[in-house]
């Protein structure tokens, strides 16, 4: 759709996030590793198109316009359905905005019109930002691989059990815990309860928008390091990416 036809509810773009604002992937991993070693709380979340759409509802774009994408007909796309969120008075929209303001590190797509409008509309510019897909490159950073081996994380998400097997097979480590029953916002409470009662120092959470809600809660309320790992699990295990993504020093 041409830009002039987009029914923007918010016309400003006062806040801009540019490539020069981004923290490099190596530095992000170093921050994670240092926080785990010091047992200092840290939350990392990622705001891609799905998260932006959830945050934009009736603030930047009409929900009905956003719902035209077939991806939003179920919670399988980003762990939340816009139709469901509208019916629940935008619970996830507000929780996602709250999470962005509470997180320590925020992954974004720089120079994006949608990104600029959403952050302008909520009146917030994160202090520390990195590339939203930077998470899939963590596997190529030695410090990340070393951390997985020396201090295995708690794994959360639909693929957590499979990824635990992958970690054991490739790195010879056992995950601190595994939780797979996180498919929608209704599962947030039981997920956080499990994580709070499972001994661990840090976690990798792949659960769409739900991961963004979980990470700051685990950091601020429970003192943990919690990472929205997004497609980080999938790219390592999916056969179509075989040979493209692998743990540094462990190429198949």
């Amino acid at each position: 759709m041409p830009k002039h036809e987009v029914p923007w509810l918010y016309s400003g773009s006062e806040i801009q996030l540019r490539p020069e604002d981004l923290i490099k992937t190596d530095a992000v991993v170093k921050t994670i590793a240092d926080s785990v070693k010091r047992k200092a709380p840290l939350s990392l979340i990622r705001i891609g198109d799905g998260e932006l759409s959830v945050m934009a509802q009736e603030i930047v774009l009409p929900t009905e316009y956003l719902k035209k994408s077939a991806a939003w007909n179920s919670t399988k796309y980003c762990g939340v359905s816009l139709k469901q969120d509208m019916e629940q008075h935008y619970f996830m929209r507000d929780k996602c905005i709250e999470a962005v303001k509470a997180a320590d590190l925020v992954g974004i797509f720089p120079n994006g019109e949608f990104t600029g409008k959403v952050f302008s509309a909520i009146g917030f510019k994160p202090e520390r930002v990195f590339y939203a897909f930077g998470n899939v490159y963590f596997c190529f950073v030695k410090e990340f691989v070393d951390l997985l081996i020396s201090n295995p994380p708690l794994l959360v998400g639909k693929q957590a059990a499979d990824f635990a097997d992958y970690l054991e097979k490739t790195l010879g480590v056992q995950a601190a815990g595994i939780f797979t029953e996180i498919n929608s916002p209704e599962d947030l409470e039981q997920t956080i309860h499990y994580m709070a009662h499972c001994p661990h120092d840090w976690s990798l959470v792949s659960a769409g928008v739900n991961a963004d809600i979980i990470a700051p809660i685990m950091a601020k309320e429970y003192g943990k390091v919690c990472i929205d790992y997004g497609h980080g699990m999938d790219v390592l295990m999916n056969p179509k990416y075989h040979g493209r993504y692998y743990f540094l020093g462990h190429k198949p």
Side-chain angles (χ1 to χ4, degrees):
M1 180 175 278
K3 286 185 180 181
H4 68 275
E5 294 182 28
V6 176
W8 297 114
L9 299 175
Y10 189 86
S11 58
S13 292
E14 306 83 34
I15 292 174
Q16 293 295 317
L17 294 160
R18 308 191 185 284
E20 54 266 32
D21 297 326
L22 301 180
I23 298 170
K24 299 263 191 277
T25 301
D26 286 10
V28 173
V29 169
K30 179 171 176 29
T31 299
I32 294 170
D34 287 348
S35 297
V36 172
K37 288 168 188 171
R38 293 187 294 110
K39 296 188 184 297
L42 180 78
S43 57
L44 177 151
I45 69 172
R46 298 164 46 260
I47 303 300
D49 291 338
E51 290 78 12
L52 287 172
S53 294
V54 171
M55 293 165 66
Q57 295 176 93
E58 298 306 320
I59 294 175
V60 177
L61 285 168
T63 303
E64 289 300 331
Y65 173 79
L66 291 163
K67 277 166 54 182
K68 288 177 184 176
S69 167
W72 296 105
N73 290 337
S74 75
T75 56
K76 290 180 181 177
Y77 172 57
C78 221
V80 60
S81 156
L82 292 191
K83 178 179 182 294
Q84 184 183 53
D85 202 38
M86 181 172 67
E87 292 168 351
Q88 295 180 349
H89 307 290
Y90 302 108
F91 170 83
M92 285 297 281
R93 177 196 68 186
D94 296 343
K95 283 293 183 184
C96 196
I97 292 172
E98 184 182 312
V100 165
K101 293 180 177 181
D104 298 302
L105 287 161
V106 179
I108 53 102
F109 294 124
N111 284 348
E113 181 180 27
F114 198 16
T115 300
K117 284 193 179 296
V118 169
F119 281 96
S120 296
I122 67 172
F124 182 73
K125 184 173 185 177
E127 283 188 22
R128 294 190 287 176
V129 293
F130 64 100
Y131 180 50
F133 283 160
N135 58 304
V136 302
Y137 303 113
F138 289 174
C139 61
F140 298 126
V141 181
K142 183 178 185 298
E143 200 162 6
F144 186 72
V145 180
D146 290 345
L147 180 62
L148 287 168
I149 294 170
S150 65
N151 193 333
L154 162 62
L155 304 176
V156 176
K158 289 184 290 185
Q159 293 184 302
D162 290 339
F163 193 61
D165 290 340
Y166 181 84
L167 281 181
E168 188 164 5
K169 182 179 72 176
T170 57
L171 300 181
V173 302
Q174 290 190 326
I178 300 166
F179 190 85
T180 59
E181 300 303 310
I182 172 74
N183 299 297
S184 71
E186 283 74 24
D187 302 322
L188 281 168
E189 187 176 346
Q190 65 171 350
T191 304
I192 291 168
H193 181 269
Y194 174 87
M195 295 177 73
H197 291 84
C198 176
H200 73 285
D201 292 325
W202 70 301
S203 59
L204 295 174
V205 183
S206 295
V209 179
N210 302 295
D212 298 320
I213 313 300
I214 291 168
I217 291 174
M218 290 308 301
K220 293 191 177 301
E221 295 185 23
Y222 299 99
K224 303 296 185 181
V225 173
C226 188
I227 308 302
D228 167 12
Y229 198 39
H231 290 293
M233 296 183 189
D234 182 54
V235 296
L236 283 161
M237 296 188 296
N238 195 320
K240 75 176 182 179
Y241 297 120
H242 186 74
R244 286 176 56 193
Y245 294 95
Y246 51 89
F247 290 127
L248 184 72
H250 300 268
K251 188 171 184 177

